[in-house]
Amino acid sequence: MGSHTAVPALLGALGDRDGEVRAAAATALGRLGTAEAATPLLVALTDGTVPRSVGGQALLALGDAGLDSVRALTGAEDVALRATAIDALGWIGGAADGPRLAGRLRDPAADVRARACAALGRLGAEEGAAALRAALGDRIPFVRAAAATALGRLADHDAIAALAAQAHGDEHAPAAAAATALARIAPAAVGVAAAAPGAGPHLREAADLLELAA
Amino acid sequence: VSLEGFMEAFGIVAVAYFAALNGLYLVFTGVAWRSISRHLRRRRYDGADERFASPLTPGISILLPGFNEEAGIVASVRSLLRLRYPDFEIVVVSDGSTDGTLDRMREAFDLVPVRKVVRDALPTAGIRATYASRLHPALFVIDKANGGKADALNAGVNAATKPYVCAIDADAVIEEDALLRVAQPIIDDPERVIATGGIVRIANGCRIEDGAVAEVGLPKSRLATLQVVEYFRAFLVGRVGWSEMNALLIISGAFGVFQRDAVEAVGGWWTGTVGEDAELVVRLHRHMRERGEPYRIAFLPDPVCWTEAPEDLRTLSRQRRRWQRGLAQTLWRHRGAFGRPSHGAFGTIALPYFAIFELVGPVIEVVSYALLPVAVILGLLSPVYLVAFGVVALLLGLLLSVSALALEEFSFRRHPSGREVARMLLYAVDRQLRLSPAVRRMAADRPRRRAAPPHRLGRADAQGHRDAYSAPGPAAGLTPSGTSPSQPTSPPSAALLSTFSDSRPHFSRVALSSMPSSSRTKSLSRRSSSSTFMPLTSSEVSDALAWLIAQPWPENLRSATRLSASTEIVTFSSSPHSGLLSSYSRSGSRSRGGAGSNSWGACSARGSARGTGRPCVSLRRSGGPRRARRRAGRRRRAWSARRTTRGWCADAQALHQRLGAVVAGAHADATAARGSRRRRAGARSRARTRRARRGPRPRAGRTRSCRDVGEAVERVADDVDLVLAHGVPSRARGGSRPRRPGRPPRRSATCRPRTSRARRRSGSRRTTRG
């Protein structure tokens, strides 16, 4: 019906003790596109009170209507809520959110940093490229991997050297991500790097896969 | 303790057992109704489409381990490539295949070698090469040294790049939306859900086209239909119930999704068990419980995976025994988790349940059945009470089976035909009357031989899959000295694995499972219900027989009889159902493998283990009349040939008779040699003394030499060629029998004298006329 008069009741239903009711309420709120539903939906997603696929779809359906709330929650105190908000911003935000997300790359929580990297990559925010290059030196491997993947998506040519170094000498996950990113940004460089003696296995794999695709 | 006291105590145990088991199942039935109803309601607003579109759907690496899957691997991969999932890769692991598995893959998917990074997160046998497909960027093939299914899966995990891995049997038929369905709990709750599994259904009777179930149907076989009902009960009631308690111990080896990090954290699939799928799940439970981390192992009631069930009692029996063995190994390994309150329902309910009701239960039931008449005779049990108890037990079991069936019909309704539903209802009754006790008896029946080395054991299919993962595994556990120097050094030709054309319906499907020479094993086995079964063409049958003939047989059958624990199996039959050549194998174990199975468990070099150091051969019955089967069961070491000579195919009958003559002699020898234990011991002692005095003496008399067997097989091979070359002269088809060149034609049945009197008359008439 699309009636906004149901919004308060639906928001209340997000706290229902029955999971099916909560899920149905989340779906309905997403369809209605009401801005005030964004925060409760993010909270519900974080708490796991609504299934993630349902909550995620509801947030996507909200789109721009929920953007302000989501932006505000990227600075929330709760780490999990912050991480979820950054994730959501990566889906519904825009390139203009780059600086906000780049700021989150210095977050004390590694999960938040990794999600910020992924969000920057999804949004294609070039403003975050420098911060992402810096994140290649993060002490947490999965953050480095996320940063490398994001740089690959951004096709940041300034990161080629850093990515090559990471692909050569880092742990498995960040090295694999760096090699894949390098293959996206500079396929020719991968071939050269892989041919060099002592090239890491990830560069060789990336070179082989590039050759295969060609 | 008096007998009466014992009986009384046991009676209490049995009644408590009965009450607890049925009570639990009743509770589970209620839980399952609630859970499945909820699941179905949810599908209205959160279906596969939503998950497909969701950005939160994680990537999954599909692991497809296989050994010598030449015939089916391409179709399996093609069906997987059709899966509807936004982000997945396929990692095919060829576990030391010796056939054309890699060639078929190379041809079909344009594979080229790539230097793929395979981590060493889990220890595995050596990786030989890695390939990627030009046609499908998400398809990779790992060629590794043979190490068993668990080892192959571990190698797949090492090569996987996605956060979740999905273990799939090479012969399982996976529905198009299966990954999306089974990933639902992971998408919903990725922080907590570390593994999910879906229902496995029986594909017998279904029409399968292009690797997908095109039409659902019930099997024609009664035993398979009984299992359909049994699976409903096990999956829709049992697993759903355990899942609700977060105490699910088994995720199907045929189709299960696991968080890769969790699998790596617990050390991957254990290669030392036949039940590696269940063992992994139990280990995951323990790992998470001991760390106090919140987690969930979920089960989805959606029908997602189809697999074939055994259609004969013998295969079913072997399958169930293997399950029991796997369960015992798992429970023993994790005995430390029993009853620990910190382990929640997993430690306090599920593990004790499986130990008491699944592992020991069959023994309790068998003993109860045995003691019931004793109790009645001794007057300890009122016959009226006994009858009442039996009726209650029957009705309760029936209620549970029918409830499971109703659950299926009111929810997923994959069998829309009312006739099929009625048939299943009948079988539900039948199941209660027959299968349950029968299966439990089988499970309680202790294996007659030691377990084969773990890596040789068949696909650990705790859910009802057949043992079709045919890799024999490396020869660990078999000392190199156990391999006879006279063994062939090369495996049989890969060309032996191909398809019998439909023009030869008189042959049942015949398979040759080629195995590495190190395993000193070769089997040509019949598995009528196996999709990975490798039927043979005429030339391939000839090749196979020629290969077998060329093998150095033991010097005589008598010695081989004594070594028949390392049974070599040769079975010829003329039944149209079992095939002319039903099985022929070397160095295969008998009851747990050999004919009818190409599983890892199929072959054990028992002969070599006994220090004979030479190959041996024996013949055994693979079917036939019930009475004969019973006798064969009693005389496990006897040699016999299939007696079915009902003449569906005269050639087959002739072949059978030829071999049968040899076999009958051998059988008589074996019978004579057995005698009583004392006589045997005495005979052996005397023989030893004789040998010591006189040295080896030539065999004579009725003992058939290996040459006899070789010649018989050679003749059979000729006849096989003849039959295949000239077609089937089946009486049913009214065709003419092929003739061996240079042999006079036989008289037709119509002009052949049927009685001795008629023959005399005929002869006298001819004489008179002449």
Side-chain angles (χ1 to χ4, degrees):
Chain A
M1 292 169 67
S3 168
H4 284 255
T5 55
V7 170
L10 287 171
L11 288 174
L14 273 182
D16 196 278
R17 62 190 176 92
D18 190 313
E20 289 175 42
V21 175
R22 293 196 299 269
T27 307
L29 284 169
R31 284 180 187 162
L32 287 173
T34 44
E36 59 265 40
T39 303
L41 275 176
L42 272 177
V43 171
L45 258 179
T46 308
D47 296 344
T49 50
V50 295
R52 277 174 70 88
S53 55
V54 175
Q57 286 292 330
L59 270 175
L60 284 176
L62 274 183
D64 289 348
L67 209 47
D68 288 340
S69 304
V70 172
R71 281 177 186 143
L73 285 174
T74 56
E77 273 189 31
D78 181 60
V79 173
L81 185 58
R82 214 156 63 224
T84 310
I86 286 171
D87 243 354
L89 193 57
W91 309 328
I92 62 176
D97 291 310
R100 184 187 301 274
L101 289 169
R104 287 291 117 205
L105 290 179
R106 290 187 298 278
D107 196 283
D111 191 33
V112 173
R113 294 201 298 275
R115 293 198 195 203
C117 288
L120 278 169
R122 275 200 298 268
L123 295 176
E126 277 197 58
E127 291 90 339
L132 283 172
R133 284 197 294 277
L136 286 179
D138 198 286
R139 66 186 179 85
I140 305 295
F142 69 80
V143 178
R144 295 200 296 273
T149 305
L151 284 168
R153 288 189 171 195
L154 291 176
D156 182 28
H157 283 265
D158 295 338
I160 289 177
L163 286 172
Q166 184 166 310
H168 178 72
D170 207 336
E171 291 177 29
H172 178 85
T180 309
L182 206 57
R184 282 179 83 143
I185 301 169
V190 173
V192 173
H202 300 282
L203 281 171
R204 285 197 291 266
E205 179 186 0
D208 283 358
L209 293 177
L210 274 174
E211 195 181 325
L212 197 71
Chain B
V1 179
S2 68
L3 179 64
E4 288 182 7
F6 169 76
M7 297 282 280
E8 196 168 330
F10 191 84
I12 292 168
V13 169
V15 171
Y17 169 90
F18 171 83
L21 181 64
N22 285 285
L24 197 63
Y25 260 99
L26 281 173
V27 171
F28 275 7
T29 302
V31 169
W33 273 100
R34 185 170 160 271
S35 173
I36 290 176
S37 306
R38 197 173 59 221
H39 178 76
L40 291 175
R41 275 201 303 275
R42 186 184 162 164
R43 278 170 64 169
R44 291 178 206 156
Y45 60 85
D46 182 24
D49 292 343
E50 283 75 11
R51 286 193 288 279
F52 187 82
S54 171
L56 294 165
T57 302
I60 295 179
S61 297
I62 299 171
L63 313 181
L64 188 74
F67 172 82
N68 286 354
E69 298 279 359
E70 180 189 46
I73 192 73
V74 171
S76 296
V77 173
R78 282 194 203 287
S79 77
L80 290 178
L81 285 167
R82 283 198 296 269
L83 283 177
R84 188 162 171 265
Y85 196 81
D87 182 15
F88 73 98
E89 66 176 2
I90 299 171
V91 181
V92 179
V93 185
S94 172
D95 189 29
S97 293
T98 55
D99 65 349
T101 300
L102 280 174
D103 294 334
R104 297 289 91 73
M105 287 290 292
R106 210 174 279 130
E107 288 160 13
F109 303 108
D110 195 7
L111 295 184
V112 291
V114 293
R115 291 168 288 183
K116 185 169 174 59
V117 179
V118 181
R119 295 168 305 139
D120 53 1
L122 301 172
T124 66
I127 304 293
R128 293 172 183 162
T130 52
Y131 303 87
S133 166
R134 280 185 201 277
L135 307 177
H136 303 281
L139 171 61
F140 299 95
V141 177
I142 311 293
D143 181 24
K144 65 179 277 289
N146 184 258
K149 184 187 176 191
D151 194 69
L153 284 168
N154 288 339
V157 171
N158 284 343
T161 59
K162 307 291 181 188
Y164 291 88
V165 291
C166 175
I168 286 182
D169 275 354
D171 60 328
V173 177
I174 311 293
E175 295 201 346
E176 200 178 85
D177 281 346
L179 262 187
L180 274 176
R181 288 184 199 145
V182 86
Q184 180 202 311
I186 292 169
I187 298 165
D188 287 350
D189 196 359
E191 278 81 25
R192 278 191 283 265
V193 177
I194 56 170
T196 66
I199 188 170
V200 174
R201 295 201 171 213
I202 291 176
N204 307 44
C206 298
R207 188 162 57 83
I208 295 173
E209 286 178 4
D210 295 332
V213 174
E215 187 181 334
V216 176
L218 277 183
K220 286 177 184 163
S221 151
R222 193 176 63 86
L223 200 60
T225 313
L226 285 169
Q227 290 173 81
V228 171
V229 180
E230 192 197 15
Y231 271 40
F232 285 156
R233 191 161 146 175
F235 281 90
L236 291 178
V237 176
R239 302 251 171 118
V240 169
W242 289 119
S243 176
E244 287 290 310
M245 294 167 65
N246 196 22
L248 184 69
L249 293 199
I250 302 167
I251 283 183
S252 163
F255 188 68
V257 178
F258 302 86
Q259 194 183 66
R260 200 183 78 198
D261 287 347
V263 172
E264 288 176 8
V266 299
W269 278 269
W270 181 32
T271 54
T273 179
V274 287
E276 77 271 358
D277 46 3
E279 199 280 331
L280 175 67
V281 177
V282 172
R283 202 144 28 97
L284 285 170
H285 273 293
R286 277 195 84 177
H287 177 80
M288 302 305 282
R289 293 279 183 185
E290 282 165 7
R291 277 155 188 75
E293 295 173 20
Y295 76 101
R296 200 157 76 82
I297 293 176
F299 175 81
L300 268 292
D302 285 285
V304 290
C305 174
W306 299 81
T307 190
E308 289 192 52
E311 291 198 345
D312 61 278
L313 208 54
R314 188 172 149 268
T315 313
L316 180 70
S317 164
R318 195 171 56 236
Q319 180 196 55
R320 300 300 160 107
R321 282 197 209 126
R322 200 176 62 252
W323 291 0
Q324 290 297 106
R325 206 164 59 243
L327 180 65
Q329 286 171 335
T330 300
L331 293 178
W332 180 249
R333 193 179 195 208
H334 297 283
R335 60 192 179 279
F338 272 76
R340 286 176 65 174
S342 61
H343 283 35
F346 157 72
T348 53
I349 302 176
L351 284 178
Y353 166 86
F354 275 88
I356 295 167
F357 295 108
E358 299 289 338
L359 191 66
V360 186
V363 179
I364 295 175
E365 290 188 21
V366 169
V367 174
S368 300
Y369 287 128
L371 290 184
L372 277 175
V374 179
V376 173
I377 291 166
L378 292 178
L380 299 171
L381 186 65
S382 151
V384 176
Y385 172 80
L386 177 64
V387 171
F389 185 82
V391 170
V392 169
L394 182 68
L395 291 178
L396 208 50
L398 198 56
L399 171 71
L400 293 171
S401 291
V402 172
S403 295
L405 192 55
L407 198 55
E408 151 67 15
E409 282 310 303
F410 288 118
S411 54
F412 305 107
R413 198 170 168 76
R414 300 304 291 258
H415 294 271
S417 155
R419 190 173 169 184
E420 286 193 347
V421 175
R423 197 168 151 222
M424 280 192 285
L425 268 172
L426 283 175
Y427 278 107
V429 179
D430 197 29
R431 176 201 179 280
Q432 203 50 42
L433 291 170
R434 293 169 189 242
L435 181 70
S436 187
V439 168
R440 287 191 182 281
R441 271 199 302 277
M442 280 186 266
D445 186 12
R446 287 175 63 83
R448 290 175 177 79
R449 296 180 295 106
R450 282 185 304 156
H455 47 271
R456 295 179 154 268
L457 295 168
R459 181 175 286 166
D461 41 358
Q463 285 73 36
H465 320 127
R466 65 174 201 285
D467 45 346
Y469 189 83
S470 50
L478 298 174
T479 57
S481 59
T483 303
S484 164
S486 56
Q487 286 294 311
T489 53
S490 60
S493 160
L496 290 172
L497 305 171
S498 74
T499 310
F500 251 160
S501 71
D502 293 338
S503 62
R504 302 184 190 100
H506 61 300
F507 282 91
S508 69
R509 304 169 81 191
V510 179
L512 173 65
S513 170
S514 59
M515 299 170 185
S517 57
S518 62
S519 71
R520 59 188 297 284
T521 300
K522 178 172 180 133
S523 73
L524 180 64
S525 53
R526 178 178 69 88
R527 303 197 61 208
S528 61
S529 64
S530 165
S531 65
T532 57
F533 202 91
M534 308 296 182
L536 304 179
T537 62
S538 57
S539 63
E540 289 157 1
V541 169
S542 303
D543 283 353
L545 288 170
W547 182 86
L548 288 160
I549 290 160
Q551 301 316 302
W553 300 107
E555 61 180 350
N556 62 66
L557 294 183
R558 186 193 292 271
S559 65
T561 304
R562 285 204 298 270
L563 299 170
S564 60
S566 60
T567 310
E568 307 288 340
I569 301 160
V570 184
T571 304
F572 290 87
S573 75
S574 57
S575 159
H577 304 295
S578 59
L580 173 65
L581 176 63
S582 58
S583 69
Y584 201 137
S585 74
R586 286 176 54 79
S587 292
S589 67
R590 202 163 43 173
S591 61
R592 208 168 299 153
S597 167
N598 55 358
S599 70
W600 274 334
C603 308
S604 72
R606 189 69 53 170
S608 66
R610 288 187 173 199
T612 64
R614 65 184 179 202
C616 49
V617 60
S618 76
L619 304 161
R620 83 182 174 97
R621 188 182 306 279
S622 72
R626 180 179 296 180
R627 189 172 155 197
R629 279 206 302 274
R630 278 207 299 270
R631 195 174 59 216
R634 286 196 301 271
R635 301 170 181 176
R636 302 289 290 181
R637 287 162 193 261
W639 292 39
S640 64
R642 191 177 172 100
R643 207 172 52 179
T644 311
T645 54
R646 278 180 286 190
W648 178 83
C649 171
D651 291 274
Q653 191 172 357
L655 299 185
H656 173 266
Q657 284 167 354
R658 285 185 183 188
L659 194 64
V662 177
V663 173
H667 182 65
D669 283 352
T671 310
R674 268 194 305 277
S676 69
R677 269 177 196 278
R678 187 180 294 175
R679 277 176 50 208
R680 272 212 309 277
R684 278 197 208 108
S685 171
R686 283 194 295 277
R688 270 198 299 272
T689 312
R690 261 203 312 276
R691 275 199 299 274
R693 283 178 188 164
R694 301 176 189 171
R697 63 179 176 81
R699 303 279 173 180
R702 288 181 302 169
T703 303
R704 264 60 179 177
S705 71
C706 58
R707 200 172 48 200
D708 293 336
V709 175
E711 285 170 3
V713 171
E714 209 158 349
R715 286 196 298 273
V716 170
D718 289 346
D719 284 351
V720 167
D721 277 343
L722 204 64
V723 171
L724 292 170
H726 296 277
V728 187
S730 154
R731 287 176 192 170
R733 295 202 311 195
S736 62
R737 286 178 58 250
R739 286 189 294 113
R740 188 182 288 278
R743 185 183 288 183
R746 292 186 188 178
R747 290 178 200 163
S748 71
T750 50
C751 63
R752 190 182 302 153
R754 288 185 183 141
T755 62
S756 54
R757 200 171 175 183
R759 270 199 298 276
R760 280 199 300 275
R761 252 204 321 268
S762 169
S764 62
R765 206 177 294 145
R766 269 204 303 274
T767 308
T768 307
R769 284 180 185 174

